[in-house]
Amino acid sequence: TTLREGMNGELMDLLPEELSGAVVTVSKLTNPVAGTGTEQIVTEDSLWLPSYSELTGTARSGSEPEGEQYQLGGGPNEALALDDGTYWWERSPDPSNEAWFMCVGPDGAAATSHRPATPNGVVAGFCL
């Protein structure tokens, strides 16, 4: 996607050298957009958006897990809420709607979805 390309290009280039030089590229799984197939997509990324299953520990109905859960806990979680109440994107497509992607809401719940043109925030994951 355009966002993924920007994160691994322009955004990565904006990181301080001491951080960008320590970031390790990892393989990430992403479910296909609803109605486009059943095989997960594997990408190699330096910066990525967390998936629904990485945030909650479960897969959405009709989809496969896209990685192991990070140590955040399930359900609405204050650690996932941004201070300004902004929604932020996950990399998981909404399994019930081919035009929407999952996002985290202002309460820290990872189960919301929006159209890609919605101006949500971005929380980048990375591995050192």
Side-chain angles (χ1 to χ4, degrees):
T1 66
T2 303
L3 179 55
R4 183 178 157 266
E5 290 172 7
M7 289 178 67
N8 285 284
E10 293 174 41
L11 184 56
M12 187 69 178
D13 292 344
L14 292 174
L15 296 178
E17 254 184 72
E18 58 274 9
L19 178 58
S20 64
V23 171
V24 178
T25 301
V26 296
S27 296
K28 287 294 172 181
L29 294 172
T30 304
N31 288 319
V33 172
T36 64
T38 58
E39 297 225 9
Q40 288 184 318
I41 301 155
V42 180
T43 57
E44 300 294 321
D45 295 306
S46 298
L47 300 177
W48 65 85
L49 299 175
S51 71
Y52 179 83
S53 61
E54 288 171 339
L55 298 173
T56 67
T58 63
R60 300 269 305 176
S61 178
S63 65
E64 296 293 322
E66 299 165 297
E68 298 293 320
Q69 181 181 13
Y70 296 120
Q71 294 180 1
L72 300 169
N77 187 321
E78 289 182 14
L80 299 178
L82 299 182
D83 289 340
D84 64 357
T86 300
Y87 287 84
W88 55 274
W89 290 111
E90 300 168 32
R91 74 172 179 277
S92 305
D94 185 327
S96 63
N97 186 325
E98 71 278 354
W100 293 54
F101 278 78
M102 302 302 299
C103 56
V104 175
D107 63 353
T112 305
S113 64
H114 287 155
R115 293 174 188 241
T118 306
N120 291 338
V122 172
V123 174
F126 59 92
C127 185
L128 300 175

